[in-house]
Coordinates of all heavy atoms in Angstrom, one line a residue:
Y16 N 12.0 -4.5 -14.7 CA 11.0 -5.4 -15.0 C 10.1 -5.7 -13.8 O 8.9 -5.7 -13.9 CB 11.6 -6.8 -15.5 CG 10.5 -7.8 -15.8 CD1 9.8 -7.8 -17.0 CD2 10.2 -8.8 -14.8 CE1 8.8 -8.7 -17.2 CE2 9.2 -9.7 -15.1 CZ 8.5 -9.7 -16.3 OH 7.5 -10.6 -16.5
P87 N 8.1 18.7 10.6 CA 7.3 19.9 11.0 C 6.3 19.6 12.1 O 6.3 20.4 13.0 CB 6.6 20.3 9.7 CG 7.4 19.8 8.6 CD 8.0 18.5 9.1
H106 N -2.4 26.9 12.8 CA -3.1 28.0 12.3 C -2.2 29.1 11.8 O -2.4 29.7 10.7 CB -4.1 28.6 13.4 CG -5.1 29.6 12.9 ND1 -4.8 30.9 13.0 CD2 -6.2 29.4 12.2 CE1 -5.9 31.6 12.5 NE2 -6.7 30.7 12.0
W132 N 9.6 12.8 19.1 CA 9.2 13.6 20.3 C 9.3 12.8 21.6 O 9.3 11.6 21.6 CB 7.7 14.1 20.0 CG 6.8 13.1 19.4 CD1 6.7 11.8 19.5 CD2 5.8 13.5 18.4 NE1 5.7 11.3 18.7 CE2 5.1 12.3 18.0 CE3 5.4 14.7 17.8 CZ2 4.1 12.3 17.1 CZ3 4.4 14.7 16.9 CH2 3.7 13.5 16.6

Side-chain angles (χ1 to χ4, degrees):
Y16 178 80
H106 189 261
W132 39 38

